[in-house]
Amino acid sequence: MLQSLYISNYALIDELSIDFHHGFNIITGETGAGKSIVLGALGLMLGQRADLSVLQVKDRKCLVEGTFVIKDYQFQSFFEKAELDYEEQTILRREITPSGKSRAFINDTPVTLKTMRDFALLLIDIHSQHQNLELGNHSFQLKLIDLVAGNAANLVEYSQIYQELKTKTKQLSKLQDESDKTKADLDYFQFQHKQLDEAGLQLDEQSELEIEQGTLEHAEEIGSVFGQLINDLEGEDLGLLSRLKVNLSQIGKLTEFLPEAGEIKERLESTYLELLDLVKESASLADRSELNPERIQLINDRLDMIYSLQQKFRVNTVAELIELKNDFDQKIQQIESYDTEIEEYVAIVESLSNQINEHAEIITERRRAVASKIEISVIEVLQKLGMLNANFQIQFVRLEEAGPSGFDEVNFLFTANKSSELQDISKIASGGEISRLMLALKTLITDSKSLPTIIFDEIDTGISGEVAMKMGTILKELSVNIQVINITHLPQIAAKGHHHFKVYKYDEGERTLTSICQLEGDERIEELAQMLGGDLASDTTRETARELLN
């Protein structure tokens, strides 16, 4: 339960502290006194967003802190998951700094706003007049049924699978689109790859072929030049080699009496041998350079093909052509791999769809199982609240395909009159009827004992007199199982509370501020008397107030 609430520097609140209690807690106050401000501050602790406008004094931080006793509720798993220290008396704190920065704490450990909100929603349910308006919303109606059905864990698991299914379905659709788009290019890629592959290109062949082409096309010139060189070196009469041979013999005779002649002889012998090698190499080149028209044609055809491919693909080298061939091969493999990948995703989507359907069926069964209980309970509460001829029914519509909340759409049907036909709540229920309907539904939630505290913000809108007395009795009965905090403007309901708090305004210098105090004894009688008779209480209204309390 909410044990205490501390608020500092929020709107018209300078500083206040409230100690709440078990049972039925009542909050009253004049219109404009600041009841909604207290509720707004509590909303900060529940994770609502805030800006600098909430600061009463702009250079001080705003602080809202709530102390909760949670020992009777199984919240240990939440603390473990959030990596927080579990305490039976847990403190939630929210701060708004003058710079606009927001900070949240659970037991003095910094947490994200989402973590604080997730935990606070396990502690408190705030019912406001805005929620009355939501009663006609089919999504809100479904949430109420799920609360009664205890579908929270099932819906968390369902939502996780549903989101995964949406993600995988989207990925599958993207794959299929990419596959369709690329398959249109598959024939083109295969044709280009085949042409390059059949060419059998080798990395250095172009340069080698171009050299060989040049050699063969100039074979006659090569043979003539090297033939002349061979003749000049080896000719029998005038050949240089034969004359060098004679010179070597003559110089050799001089070595007996001229030492320097030996060195010249060695150098001349080296020259002779080098020229002899030149003759052999020239003869080899002359032999290889014979005219070969067939080989020339073969080389020309090969080079023409390479030049044609280079021109077609707008590249300059064989290496670039080979790289293109490999790129086409990779694209073809990727396109062909789409089918395998798509099959895998189809299997995943099918499996997730089956899981979704199984979970949705379980959720539907649990919803329909409590529908009759909800209908009977709501009608009983409405009759207690003076609507003797009221009728309430839950209409289920099954969707063809499971959506974010399962297979179900629901519609709350209602009539306040015996002879009237059941119709959609949003079309026929008045403000007072909506208030009573919402209270009837909230009794079902509080019976589950899964929530420590429920706060009603003027749920009594549109009712008065005897109906208000009966509503007060029901609210008091609810407080047996759950802490109830009720903001009201009706004395009939206020008198039913176990504990009574009053919100009031006061002036401090040039500022008007809001605070709260707990009323006891005569203070409470005076407040009820003023609620009954206006600002000026009389002996008559005081006596009526005593009667209400009794």
Short mmCIF file of all heavy atoms in Angstrom, two decimals, residues 396-432:
data_model
loop_
_atom_site.label_atom_id
_atom_site.label_comp_id
_atom_site.label_asym_id
_atom_site.label_seq_id
_atom_site.Cartn_x
_atom_site.Cartn_y
_atom_site.Cartn_z
N PHE A 396 -18.59 -10.51 -27.85
CA PHE A 396 -17.31 -10.88 -28.44
C PHE A 396 -17.43 -10.96 -29.95
O PHE A 396 -18.41 -11.50 -30.48
CB PHE A 396 -16.83 -12.24 -27.91
CG PHE A 396 -16.25 -12.19 -26.54
CD1 PHE A 396 -17.07 -12.35 -25.43
CD2 PHE A 396 -14.89 -11.99 -26.34
CE1 PHE A 396 -16.54 -12.31 -24.14
CE2 PHE A 396 -14.36 -11.95 -25.06
CZ PHE A 396 -15.18 -12.11 -23.96
N VAL A 397 -16.44 -10.43 -30.65
CA VAL A 397 -16.35 -10.57 -32.10
C VAL A 397 -15.00 -11.21 -32.40
O VAL A 397 -13.95 -10.69 -31.99
CB VAL A 397 -16.45 -9.20 -32.81
CG1 VAL A 397 -16.27 -9.37 -34.31
CG2 VAL A 397 -17.77 -8.52 -32.49
N ARG A 398 -15.03 -12.35 -33.09
CA ARG A 398 -13.78 -13.05 -33.39
C ARG A 398 -13.21 -12.55 -34.71
O ARG A 398 -13.90 -12.50 -35.74
CB ARG A 398 -14.01 -14.56 -33.47
CG ARG A 398 -12.70 -15.36 -33.68
CD ARG A 398 -12.97 -16.84 -33.72
NE ARG A 398 -11.76 -17.59 -34.04
CZ ARG A 398 -10.88 -18.03 -33.16
NH1 ARG A 398 -11.09 -17.79 -31.88
NH2 ARG A 398 -9.81 -18.70 -33.53
N LEU A 399 -11.95 -12.17 -34.67
CA LEU A 399 -11.25 -11.70 -35.87
C LEU A 399 -10.80 -12.88 -36.72
O LEU A 399 -10.53 -13.97 -36.19
CB LEU A 399 -10.03 -10.86 -35.48
CG LEU A 399 -10.31 -9.62 -34.61
CD1 LEU A 399 -8.99 -8.99 -34.16
CD2 LEU A 399 -11.15 -8.61 -35.36
N GLU A 400 -10.74 -12.68 -38.01
CA GLU A 400 -10.28 -13.75 -38.90
C GLU A 400 -8.81 -14.07 -38.67
O GLU A 400 -8.38 -15.21 -38.82
CB GLU A 400 -10.49 -13.34 -40.35
CG GLU A 400 -11.97 -13.24 -40.75
CD GLU A 400 -12.13 -12.91 -42.23
OE1 GLU A 400 -11.09 -12.83 -42.94
OE2 GLU A 400 -13.28 -12.74 -42.66
N GLU A 401 -8.06 -13.07 -38.30
CA GLU A 401 -6.62 -13.24 -38.08
C GLU A 401 -6.24 -12.61 -36.75
O GLU A 401 -6.74 -11.55 -36.40
CB GLU A 401 -5.84 -12.58 -39.22
CG GLU A 401 -4.35 -12.79 -39.16
CD GLU A 401 -3.64 -12.16 -40.36
OE1 GLU A 401 -4.28 -12.04 -41.42
OE2 GLU A 401 -2.46 -11.78 -40.20
N ALA A 402 -5.37 -13.27 -36.00
CA ALA A 402 -4.97 -12.76 -34.69
C ALA A 402 -4.26 -11.42 -34.83
O ALA A 402 -3.37 -11.26 -35.67
CB ALA A 402 -4.05 -13.76 -33.99
N GLY A 403 -4.68 -10.45 -34.01
CA GLY A 403 -4.07 -9.13 -34.01
C GLY A 403 -3.22 -8.92 -32.79
O GLY A 403 -2.87 -9.88 -32.08
N PRO A 404 -2.85 -7.68 -32.47
CA PRO A 404 -1.98 -7.39 -31.32
C PRO A 404 -2.54 -7.89 -29.99
O PRO A 404 -1.78 -8.16 -29.07
CB PRO A 404 -1.88 -5.86 -31.33
CG PRO A 404 -2.18 -5.46 -32.73
CD PRO A 404 -3.17 -6.45 -33.23
N SER A 405 -3.88 -8.00 -29.88
CA SER A 405 -4.49 -8.46 -28.63
C SER A 405 -5.13 -9.84 -28.75
O SER A 405 -5.87 -10.26 -27.87
CB SER A 405 -5.56 -7.45 -28.18
OG SER A 405 -4.99 -6.18 -27.98
N GLY A 406 -4.87 -10.52 -29.84
CA GLY A 406 -5.44 -11.86 -30.01
C GLY A 406 -6.53 -11.88 -31.06
O GLY A 406 -6.56 -11.07 -31.99
N PHE A 407 -7.45 -12.84 -30.89
CA PHE A 407 -8.52 -13.02 -31.86
C PHE A 407 -9.75 -12.15 -31.58
O PHE A 407 -10.69 -12.14 -32.36
CB PHE A 407 -8.99 -14.48 -31.86
CG PHE A 407 -8.10 -15.41 -32.64
CD1 PHE A 407 -7.54 -16.53 -32.04
CD2 PHE A 407 -7.81 -15.16 -33.97
CE1 PHE A 407 -6.73 -17.39 -32.76
CE2 PHE A 407 -6.99 -16.02 -34.70
CZ PHE A 407 -6.45 -17.14 -34.09
N ASP A 408 -9.72 -11.45 -30.41
CA ASP A 408 -10.97 -10.86 -29.93
C ASP A 408 -11.07 -9.35 -30.09
O ASP A 408 -10.10 -8.62 -29.87
CB ASP A 408 -11.17 -11.20 -28.44
CG ASP A 408 -11.17 -12.69 -28.19
OD1 ASP A 408 -11.89 -13.40 -28.89
OD2 ASP A 408 -10.42 -13.13 -27.29
N GLU A 409 -12.27 -8.93 -30.44
CA GLU A 409 -12.73 -7.56 -30.22
C GLU A 409 -13.95 -7.68 -29.33
O GLU A 409 -14.72 -8.64 -29.44
CB GLU A 409 -13.11 -6.88 -31.54
CG GLU A 409 -11.93 -6.38 -32.33
CD GLU A 409 -12.35 -5.56 -33.55
OE1 GLU A 409 -13.57 -5.47 -33.80
OE2 GLU A 409 -11.46 -5.04 -34.23
N VAL A 410 -14.11 -6.71 -28.40
CA VAL A 410 -15.25 -6.79 -27.49
C VAL A 410 -16.03 -5.48 -27.53
O VAL A 410 -15.50 -4.43 -27.90
CB VAL A 410 -14.81 -7.09 -26.04
CG1 VAL A 410 -14.18 -8.46 -25.94
CG2 VAL A 410 -13.89 -6.01 -25.51
N ASN A 411 -17.26 -5.60 -27.12
CA ASN A 411 -18.13 -4.43 -27.07
C ASN A 411 -18.99 -4.54 -25.82
O ASN A 411 -19.66 -5.57 -25.60
CB ASN A 411 -19.01 -4.39 -28.33
CG ASN A 411 -19.76 -3.08 -28.45
OD1 ASN A 411 -19.47 -2.12 -27.75
ND2 ASN A 411 -20.75 -3.05 -29.33
N PHE A 412 -18.93 -3.53 -24.95
CA PHE A 412 -19.76 -3.51 -23.75
C PHE A 412 -21.14 -2.95 -24.12
O PHE A 412 -21.25 -1.81 -24.58
CB PHE A 412 -19.13 -2.65 -22.66
CG PHE A 412 -17.96 -3.29 -21.96
CD1 PHE A 412 -17.51 -4.56 -22.31
CD2 PHE A 412 -17.29 -2.63 -20.94
CE1 PHE A 412 -16.43 -5.15 -21.68
CE2 PHE A 412 -16.21 -3.21 -20.30
CZ PHE A 412 -15.78 -4.47 -20.67
N LEU A 413 -22.15 -3.77 -23.91
CA LEU A 413 -23.54 -3.36 -24.19
C LEU A 413 -24.26 -3.08 -22.88
O LEU A 413 -24.07 -3.80 -21.89
CB LEU A 413 -24.26 -4.46 -24.97
CG LEU A 413 -23.61 -4.90 -26.29
CD1 LEU A 413 -24.40 -6.04 -26.92
CD2 LEU A 413 -23.48 -3.73 -27.25
N PHE A 414 -25.10 -2.06 -22.88
CA PHE A 414 -25.72 -1.62 -21.62
C PHE A 414 -27.10 -1.01 -21.88
O PHE A 414 -27.35 -0.40 -22.92
CB PHE A 414 -24.81 -0.57 -20.96
CG PHE A 414 -25.43 0.12 -19.79
CD1 PHE A 414 -25.52 -0.50 -18.55
CD2 PHE A 414 -25.93 1.42 -19.91
CE1 PHE A 414 -26.10 0.14 -17.47
CE2 PHE A 414 -26.51 2.07 -18.84
CZ PHE A 414 -26.59 1.43 -17.61
N THR A 415 -27.95 -1.21 -20.91
CA THR A 415 -29.21 -0.47 -20.86
C THR A 415 -29.58 -0.26 -19.40
O THR A 415 -29.34 -1.13 -18.56
CB THR A 415 -30.34 -1.19 -21.59
OG1 THR A 415 -31.54 -0.40 -21.49
CG2 THR A 415 -30.61 -2.57 -21.01
N ALA A 416 -30.13 0.91 -19.10
CA ALA A 416 -30.55 1.20 -17.73
C ALA A 416 -32.03 0.90 -17.52
O ALA A 416 -32.50 0.89 -16.38
CB ALA A 416 -30.27 2.67 -17.42
N ASN A 417 -32.72 0.61 -18.60
CA ASN A 417 -34.17 0.44 -18.52
C ASN A 417 -34.58 -0.97 -18.95
O ASN A 417 -34.00 -1.55 -19.86
CB ASN A 417 -34.88 1.47 -19.41
CG ASN A 417 -34.46 2.88 -19.04
OD1 ASN A 417 -34.50 3.27 -17.88
ND2 ASN A 417 -34.03 3.65 -20.04
N LYS A 418 -35.59 -1.46 -18.29
CA LYS A 418 -36.05 -2.82 -18.49
C LYS A 418 -36.50 -3.07 -19.93
O LYS A 418 -36.25 -4.12 -20.51
CB LYS A 418 -37.19 -3.13 -17.51
CG LYS A 418 -37.49 -4.60 -17.35
CD LYS A 418 -38.47 -4.79 -16.21
CE LYS A 418 -38.68 -6.27 -15.92
NZ LYS A 418 -39.62 -6.47 -14.80
N SER A 419 -37.19 -2.11 -20.50
CA SER A 419 -37.79 -2.30 -21.82
C SER A 419 -36.87 -1.90 -22.96
O SER A 419 -37.22 -2.09 -24.13
CB SER A 419 -39.09 -1.48 -21.92
OG SER A 419 -38.82 -0.11 -21.70
N SER A 420 -35.69 -1.35 -22.65
CA SER A 420 -34.80 -0.86 -23.70
C SER A 420 -33.86 -1.95 -24.19
O SER A 420 -33.49 -2.86 -23.43
CB SER A 420 -33.98 0.33 -23.18
OG SER A 420 -34.83 1.39 -22.80
N GLU A 421 -33.48 -1.81 -25.41
CA GLU A 421 -32.57 -2.78 -26.03
C GLU A 421 -31.13 -2.45 -25.63
O GLU A 421 -30.74 -1.29 -25.48
CB GLU A 421 -32.72 -2.69 -27.55
CG GLU A 421 -31.99 -3.77 -28.30
CD GLU A 421 -32.24 -3.67 -29.80
OE1 GLU A 421 -33.35 -3.24 -30.18
OE2 GLU A 421 -31.33 -4.00 -30.58
N LEU A 422 -30.34 -3.50 -25.45
CA LEU A 422 -28.92 -3.30 -25.14
C LEU A 422 -28.22 -2.60 -26.29
O LEU A 422 -28.39 -2.98 -27.46
CB LEU A 422 -28.24 -4.66 -24.89
CG LEU A 422 -28.54 -5.34 -23.55
CD1 LEU A 422 -28.21 -6.82 -23.62
CD2 LEU A 422 -27.75 -4.68 -22.43
N GLN A 423 -27.43 -1.57 -25.95
CA GLN A 423 -26.69 -0.83 -26.97
C GLN A 423 -25.28 -0.54 -26.48
O GLN A 423 -24.97 -0.70 -25.30
CB GLN A 423 -27.42 0.49 -27.30
CG GLN A 423 -28.77 0.31 -27.97
CD GLN A 423 -29.35 1.64 -28.40
OE1 GLN A 423 -28.66 2.45 -29.01
NE2 GLN A 423 -30.62 1.87 -28.09
N ASP A 424 -24.46 -0.09 -27.43
CA ASP A 424 -23.08 0.27 -27.11
C ASP A 424 -23.07 1.33 -26.00
O ASP A 424 -23.79 2.32 -26.06
CB ASP A 424 -22.41 0.84 -28.36
CG ASP A 424 -20.90 0.98 -28.20
OD1 ASP A 424 -20.48 1.58 -27.19
OD2 ASP A 424 -20.16 0.53 -29.07
N ILE A 425 -22.22 1.10 -24.98
CA ILE A 425 -22.15 1.99 -23.82
C ILE A 425 -21.92 3.45 -24.23
O ILE A 425 -22.54 4.37 -23.69
CB ILE A 425 -21.02 1.53 -22.87
CG1 ILE A 425 -21.53 0.40 -21.99
CG2 ILE A 425 -20.53 2.67 -22.00
CD1 ILE A 425 -20.50 -0.14 -21.04
N SER A 426 -21.01 3.67 -25.18
CA SER A 426 -20.66 5.02 -25.57
C SER A 426 -21.84 5.79 -26.16
O SER A 426 -21.83 7.02 -26.20
CB SER A 426 -19.50 5.00 -26.57
OG SER A 426 -19.90 4.32 -27.76
N LYS A 427 -22.86 5.10 -26.62
CA LYS A 427 -23.99 5.75 -27.28
C LYS A 427 -25.13 6.11 -26.34
O LYS A 427 -25.92 7.00 -26.63
CB LYS A 427 -24.53 4.84 -28.39
CG LYS A 427 -23.53 4.59 -29.51
CD LYS A 427 -24.12 3.68 -30.57
CE LYS A 427 -23.11 3.44 -31.70
NZ LYS A 427 -23.64 2.51 -32.73
N ILE A 428 -25.23 5.40 -25.19
CA ILE A 428 -26.43 5.60 -24.38
C ILE A 428 -26.19 5.95 -22.92
O ILE A 428 -27.05 6.53 -22.27
CB ILE A 428 -27.35 4.35 -24.44
CG1 ILE A 428 -26.60 3.11 -23.88
CG2 ILE A 428 -27.82 4.08 -25.85
CD1 ILE A 428 -27.53 1.95 -23.63
N ALA A 429 -25.02 5.60 -22.38
CA ALA A 429 -24.83 5.78 -20.94
C ALA A 429 -24.59 7.25 -20.60
O ALA A 429 -23.81 7.93 -21.26
CB ALA A 429 -23.66 4.92 -20.45
N SER A 430 -25.24 7.74 -19.55
CA SER A 430 -25.03 9.11 -19.07
C SER A 430 -23.80 9.15 -18.17
O SER A 430 -23.22 8.11 -17.85
CB SER A 430 -26.25 9.57 -18.29
OG SER A 430 -26.38 8.81 -17.09
N GLY A 431 -23.42 10.38 -17.73
CA GLY A 431 -22.26 10.51 -16.87
C GLY A 431 -22.38 9.73 -15.58
O GLY A 431 -21.46 9.03 -15.16
N GLY A 432 -23.54 9.83 -14.93
CA GLY A 432 -23.75 9.10 -13.69
C GLY A 432 -23.75 7.61 -13.90
O GLY A 432 -23.24 6.84 -13.08
#
